[in-house]
Amino acid sequence: MVDKTEMLDELEKGPWPSFVSQIKEQAEKNPISRDLLRQLEQSYKDKKLYWRHGGVVGVWGYGSGMIGRYSARPDLFPGVAEFHTVRLNNPSGWFYNTKSLRQMCDIWEKYGSGLLYMHGMTGDILLLGTTTENLQPCFDELSSEASFDLGGSGPGIRTISCCVGPARCEWACYDTLDVTYDLTMTFQSEMHRPSLPHKFKIKCSGCPNDCVGAILRSDLPIIGTWRDTIQIDQEAVSEYINGGFDIVSYVINRCPTQCMRLTEKELGINDRECSRCMHCINVLPKALRPGKERGATILIGGKTQLVEGTIISSVLIPFIKLTPPYQEIKDLVNKIWDFWGEYARGRERVGEFIQRIGLGDFLEGMGIEPNPYMVAHPRENPHIKFEEYYREGD
Amino acid sequence: MEASPKARKLDIGPPDYRQFLHPVVKENYGQWKYHENLRPGVLVHVSETGAEIYTVRAGSPRLVNIDFVRRICDLADRYADGFLRFTSRNNIEFMLPNKENIDPLIAELEGMGIPVGGTGKIIHNMLHSQGWIHCHTPASADASGITKSVMDELYEYFTAKELPHRVKIAFACCTACCGGIFWSDIAILALHRRPPRVNHDYVWRVCEIPTTLASCPVTAIKPTYVDGKTSVTIDEDKCVYCGNCYSICSACEIIDPVNDVLSIWAGGKLANARSEPMLAKLVVPSLPSNPPRWPEVVSAVKNIVEVYAQNARKYERLGEWINRIGWPRFFELTGFEFTKYHIDDFKHAGQTYKKSVQLKF
Ligand code: SF4
Ligand code: SF4
């Protein structure tokens, strides 16, 4: 049994499933979980955390995938004296079968706290809390018996994640699951032996709805789109109208580019003006679908706050077709790593790097031609750094 | 027992997702035609071939134990032929080829205290950072506890109650923003209010001085010598309490239970639908951090949701609604006080000032 947990007990009340109940259930049988519960109660009482600053841990042959964590009070909470995390690279789209998950659970029961995040913010399964001694045997079994491998950490490519894609979404404009798996397999060595200036994230969303938040959560978002015309099923449009759905108010008037028109129950779209925002397709899924000439827009530079502020990614390649083996993407990634790797300051994300040197110079380094799709508008100041001028006597 | 390193396989990569696709999913891969949201938490996807797959989405607390995972697996075995998936917002999805299984599955989930919902124009499962469970840098607030408290209060908006559009909420316990908060409709962010206290006995032992200096976004940190040892000093006028130096150098102690606060942000959006993606803006600079249920934070979040529910138009995300009515009206409707702290004074701050006389009175 565990000590009294008056503060945490409050978080077992209420209808939403409780993480405290999850820890408590494990605490009945696992000493790591028991002391996690006790230490957490202490944190709640004192309003402060009881973890010491990180520490480097790992397994043979890998420079990433494990995060060291130590209790600041091992005297009081010996069970969490060492409480390291193991990051397991999630399968594309977070698809599993029960056999694989059960295997993973059995191994984690043997070597760790029995607690985990399904999933961490980058997408990995995070196995929460084990000892330094258990890391290697735990990893060996996860790898040899359950076929899992570690995800990324540190200054390298991180675990790639993607939306449900063509597995169950009619809007997927490319095979997000396959691109994710293919790139993950291609960059295994770079993921497990990080050597970039800072972390580098790729996320794959199948359409501009961007269900994995690629545009802000990754350095290199790959977001599906189409180049031709939205597919319209006029019969289905009529069905919506006859069913009493107010297409004018909810679709036509909300189109940001005002490129839609309804004439005698036929819906028309001026596709040259359409900005591929997805609104009409989202609202009329039975009648409208993305076009047939599908591919993706590749953006660059997204990141959250620290150090230079949050950056929303911006357009790098307006449209690209994505077919296996995705060589253009792999070449692009390698080119970015070479250029950024050579000229970045320490711990400078690629978005920060581009802000410092300017997108123009970055494109030059990449060998990509500037294109008006890359900017919201041209510059508003006259301080153009012309690179050529004539001298007297030229 | 140390296995010989040679026997170990490196870099096998994650399991191949193809083996985890239900046969119906596999057969109709890339051929889905349309879908419908049958009720919160239940979707049907229809294929060109006429095949159908029903998805039941259930909320999870994200931090789960192995027995929970096994119980979920039992359900997947019974109702979904042994397949399941998770979403980017930590929900569990069961894909059922058989419609008849929807109700019994939902009954079992609800019996286990697992809510079904999170699809359509409702509140999505919250994203959050790690907090006191596992992180070494959070300000004085816990991610899981705040998430649980907010989701308890907004429970009916996850399972049933329709809003003008979906609302995504996130929590982050420091400015590293692991919760991905800036693109959320509503975000809660723990902040410090006081510069770090440097422990000079400790800096030379645990910190690399150049990386510590470089970590500061406002160059407030300078190298120095104290009692013949290398250390750093912090210019308190410049420091913006971001805590980045602490994440690099633990001798720059910044966590402070007395002074740390919780801020609330609103109007972020990530999808491209209608308007372009936008970042959340500050709506409440500081609320007290009161574990275990953080009532001040919960009521501020609920206030925003309710005012939005009453005032926004259908298909209007929170940020789009605010852009239409204007920020003065938002502060009027929510009753939040507008202060000096709401006015940006960081880099490029001037871009956020109002530069026209188009004012609604
Ligand atoms: S996708 Fe967006 S811009 Fe294009 S027609 Fe539909 S609503 Fe208009
Ligand atoms: S808290 Fe942030 S702003 Fe203050 S000294 Fe540290 S790094 Fe600089």
Side-chain angles (χ1 to χ4, degrees):
Chain A
M1 271 309 290
V2 296
D3 304 5
K4 276 217 280 233
T5 50
E6 285 159 356
M7 291 289 250
L8 293 177
D9 292 351
E10 288 300 313
L11 288 167
E12 289 199 282
K13 299 174 184 164
W16 190 255
S18 166
F19 69 102
V20 172
S21 308
Q22 295 288 325
I23 304 175
K24 276 193 179 176
E25 189 182 13
Q26 271 303 294
E28 295 290 332
K29 49 191 177 187
N30 183 302
I32 307 179
S33 291
R34 191 173 313 141
D35 274 359
L36 177 70
L37 188 68
R38 293 178 56 241
Q39 180 176 304
L40 192 61
E41 175 73 12
Q42 198 66 44
S43 284
Y44 269 74
K45 281 194 181 124
D46 302 343
K47 243 167 80 173
K48 76 194 251 262
L49 79 163
Y50 280 96
W51 298 114
R52 247 167 59 199
H53 228 262
V56 180
V57 294
V59 288
W60 188 85
Y62 285 73
S64 71
M66 307 225 165
I67 309 298
R69 190 66 72 232
Y70 300 88
S71 174
R73 294 302 303 270
D75 52 331
L76 299 177
F77 313 109
V80 289
E82 294 167 349
F83 190 74
H84 312 315
T85 312
V86 179
R87 291 185 180 171
L88 294 183
N89 195 328
N90 55 299
S92 287
W94 298 284
F95 279 93
Y96 297 95
N97 63 22
T98 55
K99 181 173 167 243
S100 161
L101 282 180
R102 285 182 204 280
Q103 271 176 329
M104 185 265 290
C105 286
D106 292 349
I107 298 167
W108 187 232
E109 177 159 49
K110 199 152 116 196
Y111 292 108
S113 68
L115 298 172
L116 62 161
Y117 283 142
M118 296 298 284
H119 294 79
M121 284 294 297
T122 303
D124 307 271
I125 298 177
L126 298 190
L127 303 178
L128 289 173
T130 187
T131 60
T132 313
E133 198 188 350
N134 276 353
L135 289 174
Q136 187 73 55
C138 180
F139 167 71
D140 287 346
E141 259 180 62
L142 283 164
S143 150
S144 62
E145 270 154 52
S147 298
F148 277 98
D149 201 348
L150 300 182
S153 66
I157 181 168
R158 299 296 183 85
T159 298
I160 306 175
S161 55
C162 63
C163 66
V164 69
R168 200 208 50 205
C169 182
E170 67 272 24
W171 298 329
C173 292
Y174 71 97
D175 192 340
T176 53
L177 293 99
D178 192 50
V179 170
T180 297
Y181 186 59
D182 191 318
L183 296 181
T184 301
M185 296 311 284
T186 303
F187 296 120
Q188 279 295 294
S189 183
E190 290 81 355
M191 180 180 291
H192 293 144
R193 286 160 284 282
S195 61
L196 295 171
H198 208 319
K199 63 177 92 161
F200 187 86
K201 299 188 180 182
I202 301 178
K203 285 191 192 295
C204 303
S205 277
C207 84
N209 283 326
D210 194 0
C211 287
V212 283
I215 200 162
L216 238 156
R217 299 174 72 186
S218 64
D219 300 84
L220 193 80
I222 305 175
I223 302 179
T225 189
W226 66 96
R227 207 155 48 169
D228 54 345
T229 56
I230 291 178
Q231 303 181 59
I232 308 176
D233 177 343
Q234 298 291 357
E235 254 173 54
V237 173
S238 306
E239 269 169 43
Y240 276 111
I241 296 171
N242 297 338
F245 188 80
D246 185 352
I247 287 201
V248 174
S249 300
Y250 295 137
V251 183
I252 311 239
N253 291 349
R254 299 297 180 84
C255 168
T257 60
Q258 299 289 296
C259 68
M260 310 181 84
R261 203 167 301 102
L262 193 63
T263 52
E264 286 165 30
K265 292 199 176 173
E266 260 224 347
L267 185 67
I269 299 176
N270 177 1
D271 286 276
R272 278 284 286 171
E273 290 308 307
C274 163
S275 57
R276 281 128 186 102
C277 84
M278 290 297 292
H279 172 71
C280 58
I281 301 173
N282 291 342
V283 177
L284 304 174
K286 282 179 159 176
L288 303 180
R289 299 164 78 188
K292 288 181 173 159
E293 197 188 338
R294 298 178 176 194
T297 302
I298 298 182
L299 300 95
I300 183 99
K303 60 175 282 294
T304 51
Q305 199 55 27
L306 290 172
V307 178
E308 292 293 322
T310 300
I311 302 176
I312 302 180
S313 301
S314 64
V315 171
L316 184 63
I317 299 180
F319 186 84
I320 186 170
K321 289 210 167 174
L322 291 172
T323 39
Y326 315 111
Q327 198 53 46
E328 307 94 313
I329 305 273
K330 293 170 191 170
D331 292 346
L332 177 70
V333 169
N334 278 314
K335 227 190 270 174
I336 293 171
W337 289 351
D338 283 349
F339 187 66
W340 169 53
E342 174 141 2
Y343 297 107
R345 294 181 178 153
R347 289 176 64 80
E348 188 175 47
R349 289 285 284 272
V350 75
E352 295 170 319
F353 171 66
I354 293 172
Q355 286 206 335
R356 179 165 61 79
I357 69 162
L359 180 62
D361 281 350
F362 181 77
L363 292 174
E364 217 162 68
M366 292 291 101
I368 297 175
E369 286 298 314
N371 180 314
Y373 283 119
M374 295 169 180
V375 294
H377 56 74
R379 69 194 300 148
E380 289 175 325
N381 67 69
H383 307 302
I384 308 172
K385 189 94 180 87
F386 289 111
E387 287 168 355
E388 284 167 36
Y389 52 85
Y390 296 111
R391 286 166 203 279
E392 294 75 5
D394 278 354
Chain B
M1 270 265 297
E2 266 288 291
S4 134
K6 279 207 186 73
R8 293 196 179 108
K9 279 186 287 174
L10 300 184
D11 300 347
I12 62 168
D16 188 336
Y17 63 95
R18 291 176 193 95
Q19 63 188 304
F20 297 149
L21 303 177
H22 189 284
V24 175
V25 167
K26 218 171 194 172
E27 280 154 28
N28 296 281
Y29 197 90
Q31 299 194 69
W32 298 105
K33 196 170 168 205
Y34 68 88
H35 75 276
E36 281 178 286
N37 191 16
L38 300 177
R39 47 159 285 198
V42 184
L43 303 166
V44 60
H45 284 78
V46 180
S47 159
E48 298 279 9
T49 66
E52 294 180 338
I53 193 115
Y54 295 87
T55 300
V56 173
R57 182 179 290 178
S60 104
R62 180 162 88 125
L63 196 176
V64 295
N65 67 41
I66 47 180
D67 291 326
F68 176 90
V69 176
R70 287 169 178 148
R71 287 193 291 269
I72 293 299
C73 285
D74 290 341
L75 295 180
D77 282 338
R78 272 210 295 287
Y79 298 106
D81 305 310
F83 298 95
L84 69 166
R85 79 174 283 265
F86 292 76
T87 71
S88 61
R89 300 189 76 89
N90 312 311
N91 298 304
I92 307 152
E93 284 186 346
F94 302 90
M95 295 185 203
L96 321 174
N98 182 356
K99 198 175 177 172
E100 310 301 309
N101 278 332
I102 298 174
D103 289 335
L105 171 60
I106 291 177
E108 286 215 45
L109 284 164
E110 284 172 352
M112 290 162 67
I114 301 172
V116 171
T119 62
K121 296 193 281 300
I122 42 75
I123 296 230
H124 284 214
N125 197 352
M126 253 177 95
L127 292 181
H128 62 88
S129 51
Q130 307 212 50
W132 291 334
I133 297 284
H134 195 263
C135 187
H136 61 173
T137 63
S140 306
D142 182 45
S144 313
I146 291 182
T147 299
K148 160 80 173 141
S149 304
V150 171
M151 288 310 285
D152 275 341
E153 191 68 30
L154 299 176
Y155 186 80
E156 58 182 355
Y157 290 106
F158 179 85
T159 54
K161 222 168 162 181
E162 207 174 77
L163 289 163
H165 212 325
R166 64 175 58 97
V167 173
K168 296 181 175 178
I169 308 178
F171 173 85
C173 42
C174 80
T175 49
C177 297
C178 297
I181 57 160
F182 277 102
W183 41 267
S184 300
D185 296 273
I186 303 173
I188 307 158
L189 170 63
L191 292 175
H192 306 292
R193 288 194 300 176
R194 183 184 174 195
R197 284 78 61 201
V198 180
N199 181 343
H200 296 297
D201 294 334
Y202 206 43
V203 175
W204 65 278
R205 278 188 289 165
V206 296
C207 306
E208 203 188 307
I209 305 279
T211 25
T212 309
L213 305 187
S215 72
C216 180
V218 292
T219 59
I221 310 178
K222 296 276 173 288
T224 185
Y225 281 96
V226 178
D227 299 332
K229 289 171 192 126
T230 54
S231 188
V232 294
T233 54
I234 290 174
D235 181 339
E236 302 211 347
D237 287 338
K238 275 188 171 178
C239 173
V240 291
Y241 327 130
C242 73
N244 199 36
C245 54
Y246 174 70
S247 73
I248 302 288
C249 166
S250 57
C252 297
E253 177 62 67
I254 192 164
I255 297 166
D256 180 351
V258 178
N259 282 297
D260 293 347
V261 291
L262 292 155
S263 58
I264 313 279
W265 305 70
K269 166 179 183 290
L270 204 143
N272 284 270
R274 299 167 306 282
S275 52
E276 293 188 337
M278 50 189 167
L279 301 178
K281 320 286 190 270
L282 180 68
V283 297
V284 185
S286 77
L287 290 170
S289 176
N290 275 329
R293 303 271 338 180
W294 289 276
E296 298 84 354
V297 171
V298 171
S299 89
V301 171
K302 190 162 191 197
N303 180 17
I304 299 171
V305 172
E306 285 177 344
V307 173
Y308 163 70
Q310 282 157 20
N311 293 279
R313 294 177 182 161
K314 195 169 170 183
Y315 297 115
E316 200 168 44
R317 287 286 288 272
L318 187 74
E320 295 176 307
W321 163 63
I322 298 173
N323 283 347
R324 177 169 61 79
I325 64 168
W327 283 98
R329 190 78 79 238
F330 174 84
F331 281 97
E332 183 188 307
L333 288 169
T334 53
F336 295 134
E337 189 192 358
F338 186 81
T339 70
K340 169 182 155 183
Y341 296 135
H342 288 87
I343 304 174
D344 195 355
D345 56 3
F346 199 57
K347 293 173 190 171
H348 316 300
Q351 290 177 0
T352 63
Y353 306 160
K354 179 77 171 173
K355 293 190 187 80
S356 84
V357 291
Q358 296 187 359
L359 304 173
K360 293 182 188 169
F361 294 114

